[in-house]
Amino acid sequence: MKILIIGGYGTIGKSLADHFEQDHEVLVAGRTKGDVRVDIANSKSIQALFDKIGKVDAIICAAGEAKWESFDKLFEEDYYIGFKSKLMGQVNLVRIGQHYLSANGSITLTTGILADDPVIKTASAAMVNGAIHSFVKAVVLEIGNTCRINVVSAGMVEAAYEKYKDYFPGHNPVSMKKVVKGYERSVLGRDNGKIIRIYE
């Protein structure tokens, strides 16, 4: 299987690349480094990526950013960071990438626990994650017969605990092994239109 992993050098993406390359051909795409380059906030960059690599069997997106800040300090432009990158970046990935999937191919997007259990300073990030969940459930009603689309929503992973622990008091860090299994389920299983939650 030929798998494209966008954001393959991030905390989760690197673990995904290490896991899937054991049995599959993996292409890692990143904004500044990788086998191929892509900026998911730019739809022309996404199109250029697929024009270059051609058909794949699975697409995983572990990229995208959103502004973390107190609500009273968020300006309109701050919301557009998450809107253009994590939300529309992944929407455009589905919109364009579907045409470059082999038969029965899959697309796996990434959100996080903030969609269901937000914490302080995440009004923008939680909004974006929730929107992606709704998008996935809706889009499969129209293109569900041509490819599968799921989203993996993980809690705070153990590898990021020290960096984010003050934002998530009382939360149990999730093992990366469990998170990787969520992506494996999406790519190798038959789920479609599912939000695969890994919160414990």
Side-chain angles (χ1 to χ4, degrees):
M1 183 179 285
K2 185 177 180 180
I3 302 174
L4 170 67
I5 300 178
I6 299 173
Y9 289 99
T11 302
I12 293 175
K14 182 66 169 62
S15 295
L16 294 176
D18 291 343
H19 174 76
F20 281 108
E21 69 184 7
Q22 296 177 35
D23 298 305
H24 305 280
E25 177 188 355
V26 171
L27 279 175
V28 173
R31 189 166 49 187
T32 59
K33 59 182 178 179
D35 301 313
V36 286
R37 306 290 175 83
V38 66
D39 177 3
I40 65 167
N42 184 329
S43 59
K44 291 181 179 178
S45 179
I46 296 173
Q47 183 65 61
L49 166 68
F50 286 109
D51 286 344
K52 181 175 183 177
I53 68 173
K55 291 276 188 178
V56 295
D57 299 300
I59 300 166
I60 298 173
C61 183
E65 58 183 337
K67 180 82 170 182
W68 283 49
E69 186 53 271
S70 301
F71 178 69
D72 60 357
K73 294 181 180 178
L74 283 171
F75 295 94
E76 180 179 352
E77 294 76 15
D78 295 323
Y79 288 95
Y80 292 145
I81 295 170
F83 183 82
K84 288 190 65 177
S85 177
K86 192 166 188 179
L87 175 55
M88 285 310 301
Q90 296 195 91
V91 169
N92 283 327
L93 189 61
V94 172
R95 188 176 61 82
I96 298 168
Q98 62 173 318
H99 303 296
Y100 293 85
L101 282 174
S102 58
N104 301 312
S106 70
I107 302 175
T108 305
L109 307 182
T110 296
T111 57
I113 194 171
L114 298 177
D116 298 309
D117 194 4
V119 296
I120 60 169
K121 297 188 176 182
T122 62
S124 175
M127 177 188 74
V128 165
N129 285 349
I132 295 167
H133 287 188
S134 295
F135 166 74
V136 167
K137 289 189 288 185
V139 75
V140 295
L141 300 177
E142 300 186 54
I143 65 172
N145 293 327
T146 58
C147 67
R148 295 183 301 105
I149 304 172
N150 298 297
V151 56
V152 173
S153 181
M156 178 183 56
V157 294
E158 289 175 345
Y161 176 72
E162 286 302 320
K163 183 177 180 181
Y164 292 105
K165 64 182 180 180
D166 291 340
Y167 291 101
F168 292 91
H171 284 239
N172 291 316
V174 179
S175 75
M176 190 62 76
K177 183 177 180 180
K178 285 186 177 180
V179 174
V180 169
K181 284 296 181 182
Y183 287 89
E184 185 178 290
R185 171 181 165 181
S186 178
V187 173
L188 302 180
R190 286 293 173 263
D191 285 327
N192 192 23
K194 294 290 181 65
I195 301 166
I196 301 171
R197 293 176 169 88
I198 306 163
Y199 294 165
E200 296 182 355

